[in-house]
Amino acid sequence: MGRFVILLAVLMMLQSVLSIVQVKNYQRFIKKITTEQAGSDYDFYTEVAKGRLLRTIVAVVVDKEGKVIQCYCCSGLTIFAKFKEDPAYQGVHLAEFYSKNNQGTQVSKIEEALSKIYSRKLEAVT
């Protein structure tokens, strides 16, 4: 019983340390992107799309019309995952993902997150 308690305590400490590392990596990434885009007319949004087991975090830089300038994705076990730029979404309007998601067609987790960002952008306007 004593070994189980020690193992449990070690696992809890490890989880805490890994969570701190994850938060620091996230903060470093956000700071890098916001510094790069400082003074521009672009907006920066982040969104999380949750799956059954894994999550996908999407960070996107869009212009005033809602066209994607840069898209970064972090998926998998987020403790070990890093943000990677995904050029496949550059130049696409967020409205396309929103309409695709509302039509009931199957969308990826990244597209789901981009649809949520557009929805949030609409709420800010109205």
Side-chain angles (χ1 to χ4, degrees), residues 92-104:
V92 183
H93 286 271
L94 291 175
E96 293 179 32
F97 301 112
Y98 183 74
S99 63
K100 189 177 179 181
N101 194 27
N102 285 341
Q103 290 174 355

Side-chain angles (χ1 to χ4, degrees), residues 26 30 44-50 55-60 72-74 83 109-121:
Y26 181 79
I30 297 297
F44 180 70
Y45 297 97
T46 60
E47 186 64 50
V48 177
K50 298 177 184 175
R55 294 182 176 170
T56 300
I57 304 170
V58 175
V60 65
Y72 298 91
C73 305
C74 177
F83 278 94
K109 291 295 176 192
I110 297 170
E111 292 173 347
E112 179 184 329
L114 291 170
S115 172
K116 288 179 185 179
I117 289 170
Y118 181 74
S119 176
R120 197 168 27 148
K121 188 172 168 71

Side-chain angles (χ1 to χ4, degrees), residues 1 17 36 43 45 61 67 69 72 78 82 85 89 94 103 109 112 119 122:
M1 183 69 172
V17 168
E36 286 176 3
D43 296 325
Y45 297 97
V61 177
K67 187 170 101 177
I69 304 301
Y72 298 91
T78 54
K82 303 273 187 217
E85 188 168 6
Y89 298 102
L94 291 175
Q103 290 174 355
K109 291 295 176 192
E112 179 184 329
S119 176
L122 281 179

